[in-house]
């Protein structure tokens, strides 16, 4: 990913699901990333990032250029993006160990929106859901969307397959401008997930489960930029669920019975992880020992 503002551009490895994979690995979990990149300088940067963080991968290098995003930072560190994007996946065998043995599969952002790859991701999620917890973050990029109603339909297909959903307040307001974030979360919970979490930046996260709602505060930090904050948040949220033995389809019933006290603990942990990420440049998630 290319990131720059008024100063000279700097290059960082990124991409929402890749950031989540690195975040989970830094929190001590074995992780496999499924994605593509090109035979170029940016592709080599991605390979180095995965290797340095002990993240295995499926697919990887192909004959096309690596997708890039140019992020422009505003005065408070929030980024807007333009993209040079190619998203597709080759066929992946059902008995591929990383998929067959997965306790949790996370997806989101452009992987679930950009074609032709998005339809293949949907089929993959349908295939693994009988044995794995599904985590989803729509992470909307409006500049790449030409049909709002089609985008909403795509998002809702993934929400219906998911157990855990995280979305920013801006994502939810863009998708459903006619209703509140809380109304959308309630509607999404009815589609089937056990947990819907909305993140509000410096106002902290809010979550909804069948037993009720919970909120956590966002720690006060000096913000370098907000790149990767949501990805760090959901990787820490998945990690917190793993620490409590709540991953895997066999735990789906327990996850649906999650109490609001435990939800608040999970939100607090994830908020602290995101706060560390925004305090440094690029999508640079914390290690477990950094989260106090």
């Amino acid at each position: 990913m290319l990131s720059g503002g008024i100063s000279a551009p700097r290059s960082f490895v990124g991409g929402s699901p890749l950031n989540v994979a690195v975040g989970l690995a830094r929190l001590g979990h074995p992780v496999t990333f499924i994605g593509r990149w090109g035979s170029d300088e940016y592709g080599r940067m991605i390979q180095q990032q995965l290797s340095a963080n002990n993240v295995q991968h499926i697919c990887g290098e192909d004959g096309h250029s690596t997708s890039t995003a140019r992020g422009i930072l505003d005065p408070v560190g929030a980024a807007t993006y333009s993209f040079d994007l190619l998203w597709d996946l080759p066929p992946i065998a059902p008995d591929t160990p990383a998929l067959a043995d997965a306790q949790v599969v996370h997806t989101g952002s452009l992987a679930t929106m950009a074609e032709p790859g998005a339809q293949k991701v949907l089929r993959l999620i349908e295939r693994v859901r009988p044995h794995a917890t599904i985590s989803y973050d729509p992470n909307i990029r409006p500049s790449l969307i030409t049909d709002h109603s089609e985008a909403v339909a795509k998002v809702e297909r993934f929400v219906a397959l998911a157990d855990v959903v995280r979305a920013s307040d801006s994502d939810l307001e863009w998708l459903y401008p006619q209703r509140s974030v809380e109304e959308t979360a309630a509607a999404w919970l009815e589609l089937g997930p056990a947990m819907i979490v909305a993140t509000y930046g410096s106002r902290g996260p809010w979550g909804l489960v069948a037993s009720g709602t919970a909120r956590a505060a966002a720690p006060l930090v000096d913000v370098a930029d907000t790149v990767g904050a949501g990805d760090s948040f959901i990787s820490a949220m998945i990690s917190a669920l793993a620490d409590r033995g709540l991953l895997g389809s066999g735990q789906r019933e327990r996850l649906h019975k999650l109490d609001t006290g435990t939800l608040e603990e999970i939100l607090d942990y994830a908020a602290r992880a995101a706060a560390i990420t925004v305090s440094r440049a690029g999508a640079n998630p914390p290690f477990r020992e950094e989260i106090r």
Side-chain angles (χ1 to χ4, degrees):
M1 184 184 76
L2 300 180
S3 178
I6 297 173
S7 59
R10 298 171 61 195
S11 297
F12 299 95
V13 175
S16 185
L18 185 150
N19 296 339
V20 174
V22 170
L24 281 166
R26 290 186 178 185
L27 294 173
H29 304 280
V31 184
T32 298
F33 171 70
I34 301 175
R36 62 151 303 272
W37 54 83
S39 306
D40 51 29
E41 178 186 353
Y42 295 132
R44 289 188 289 274
M45 288 174 64
I46 291 172
Q47 288 179 291
Q48 290 167 3
Q49 173 85 331
L50 296 176
S51 177
N53 288 282
N54 297 312
V55 177
Q56 304 301 310
H57 68 265
I58 298 173
C59 300
E61 183 179 309
D62 58 26
H64 303 283
S65 61
T66 301
S67 297
T68 59
R70 179 174 291 274
I72 306 299
L73 302 180
D74 68 16
V76 297
T80 56
Y81 297 95
S82 60
F83 297 89
D84 180 6
L85 178 68
L86 170 65
W87 175 233
D88 198 4
L89 286 174
I92 301 172
D95 59 352
T96 301
L99 289 175
D101 300 336
Q103 280 194 309
V104 59
V105 177
H106 172 80
T107 191
S109 195
L110 300 178
T112 58
M113 196 63 67
E115 300 296 353
Q119 281 300 310
K120 297 179 181 179
V121 173
L122 182 67
R123 301 284 88 82
L124 186 151
I125 294 298
E126 291 173 335
R127 201 169 80 206
V128 300
R129 191 179 187 279
H131 68 267
T133 297
I134 304 302
S135 167
Y136 172 56
D137 179 357
N139 203 0
I140 300 294
R141 301 302 180 198
S143 64
L144 292 176
I145 295 173
T146 57
D147 187 325
H148 181 272
S149 60
E150 181 185 7
V152 171
K154 282 186 173 182
V155 167
E156 289 181 351
R157 281 195 289 272
F158 280 96
V159 170
L161 291 168
D163 298 291
V164 177
V165 180
R166 172 265 168 188
S168 70
D169 59 335
S170 58
D171 285 345
L172 296 174
E173 289 165 354
W174 184 88
L175 287 165
Y176 307 98
Q178 74 279 13
R179 65 191 187 196
S180 70
V181 167
E182 293 79 9
E183 288 170 336
T184 294
W188 278 8
L189 200 71
E190 291 295 319
L191 293 177
M195 178 192 306
I196 308 293
V197 172
T199 52
Y200 292 80
S202 61
R203 289 184 289 156
W206 171 87
L208 173 66
V209 292
S211 63
T213 65
R215 183 177 288 277
L220 294 175
V221 295
D222 292 327
V223 176
D225 64 50
T226 62
V227 177
D231 304 325
S232 288
F233 183 94
I234 199 163
S235 61
M237 195 162 71
I238 294 168
S239 178
L241 292 171
D243 291 347
R244 289 163 174 80
L246 289 168
L247 296 183
S249 62
Q251 303 304 317
R252 195 162 275 144
E253 184 176 351
R254 284 184 61 210
L255 190 58
H256 274 269
K257 294 179 179 178
L258 193 72
D259 63 88
T260 56
T262 303
L263 175 61
E264 183 178 351
E265 292 173 2
I266 292 170
L267 296 179
D268 177 72
Y269 184 76
R272 284 184 278 138
I276 293 169
T277 300
V278 303
S279 72
R280 50 205 192 192
N284 188 359
F287 293 86
R288 183 177 285 262
E289 58 269 22
E290 293 182 273
I291 307 175
R292 296 290 180 259

